[in-house]
């Protein structure tokens, strides 16, 4: 099993990502794939078979890895401008993980399971405001 990691662009918090994924979309992709969240990217992963064996897409929000969603399928698409792209179809369940600082990067990266942050249990989820949680994580606390 292999995972991916990708920055979430235009979202400032995990709560905002959750709200965005609840909103009904009127796009062709939403109608085509039902209520599943989708992530668009340019490149198709060469190791797609390994990812589809139970891998997840880990999400970086505001400089921290904060959550993951299982990858259900990976498909190619032809965009309106005629270029090729890739769609990751994700589980609607967002699983919080131990926050970990990560520098910005473009596209996505492979993430081995042994290197991935651990899932948080409901008792471990912090009630601190996100900006304080980020500061503490960056300080290593």
């Amino acid at each position: 099993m292999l995972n991916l990691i990708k920055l979430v662009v235009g979202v400032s918090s995990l709560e905002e990502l959750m709200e965005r994924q609840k909103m009904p979309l009127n796009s062709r992709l939403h109608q085509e794939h039902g209520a599943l969240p989708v992530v668009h990217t340019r490149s198709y992963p060469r190791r797609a078979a390994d990812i589809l064996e139970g891998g997840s897409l880990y999400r970086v929000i505001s400089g921290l890895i904060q959550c993951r969603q299982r990858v259900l399928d990976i498909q190619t698409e032809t965009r309106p401008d005629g270029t090729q792209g890739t769609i990751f179809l994700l589980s609607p369940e967002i699983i919080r993980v131990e926050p970990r600082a990560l520098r910005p990067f473009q596209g996505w990266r492979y993430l081995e399971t042994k290197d991935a942050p651990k899932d948080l249990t409901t008792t471990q989820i912090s009630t601190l405001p996100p900006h304080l949680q980020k500061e503490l994580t960056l300080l290593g606390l």
Side-chain angles (χ1 to χ4, degrees), residues 6 39-45 77 79 84-88 107-108:
K6 185 167 177 34
V39 172
H40 302 269
T41 188
R42 190 172 20 155
S43 320
Y44 192 89
E77 70 169 334
R79 297 177 179 161
Q84 289 296 306
T86 300
I87 303 172
F88 297 111
W108 49 263

Side-chain angles (χ1 to χ4, degrees), residues 25-71:
L25 300 174
N26 294 320
S27 72
R28 174 187 61 82
L29 288 172
H30 185 268
Q31 293 168 4
E32 188 175 314
H33 300 295
L36 292 177
V38 296
V39 172
H40 302 269
T41 188
R42 190 172 20 155
S43 320
Y44 192 89
R46 292 182 184 167
R47 298 177 65 188
D50 295 333
I51 296 163
L52 293 172
E53 290 179 0
S56 293
L57 179 64
Y58 284 77
R59 314 300 294 271
V60 180
I61 304 168
S62 297
L64 294 175
I65 303 170
Q66 295 190 33
C67 66
R68 70 179 179 91
Q69 290 176 273
R70 278 191 345 99
V71 177

Side-chain angles (χ1 to χ4, degrees), residues 41-140:
T41 188
R42 190 172 20 155
S43 320
Y44 192 89
R46 292 182 184 167
R47 298 177 65 188
D50 295 333
I51 296 163
L52 293 172
E53 290 179 0
S56 293
L57 179 64
Y58 284 77
R59 314 300 294 271
V60 180
I61 304 168
S62 297
L64 294 175
I65 303 170
Q66 295 190 33
C67 66
R68 70 179 179 91
Q69 290 176 273
R70 278 191 345 99
V71 177
L72 302 178
D73 199 8
I74 303 171
Q75 300 178 359
T76 58
E77 70 169 334
T78 302
R79 297 177 179 161
D81 66 0
T83 61
Q84 289 296 306
T86 300
I87 303 172
F88 297 111
L89 279 77
L90 306 175
S91 166
E93 179 186 16
I94 296 176
I95 302 165
R96 292 175 186 254
V97 298
E98 291 177 353
R100 183 184 301 167
L102 189 67
R103 290 180 163 192
F105 59 91
Q106 289 186 327
W108 49 263
R109 302 284 183 266
Y110 292 115
L111 179 66
E112 298 287 339
T113 302
K114 65 180 175 56
D115 299 325
K118 293 185 172 132
D119 294 350
L120 291 177
T121 64
T122 53
T123 58
Q124 292 174 306
I125 295 174
S126 175
T127 57
L128 290 174
H131 71 281
L132 287 178
Q133 187 176 15
K134 180 179 180 178
E135 289 300 319
L136 289 171
T137 300
L138 293 174
L139 292 169

Side-chain angles (χ1 to χ4, degrees), residues 8 11-24 37 59 61 66-69 92-97 125:
V8 179
V11 172
S12 60
S13 70
L14 180 56
E15 290 70 23
E16 185 180 345
L17 175 66
M18 291 175 169
E19 283 303 312
R20 281 188 178 204
Q21 288 192 2
K22 286 181 191 175
M23 288 193 290
R59 314 300 294 271
I61 304 168
Q66 295 190 33
C67 66
R68 70 179 179 91
Q69 290 176 273
E93 179 186 16
I94 296 176
I95 302 165
R96 292 175 186 254
V97 298
I125 295 174

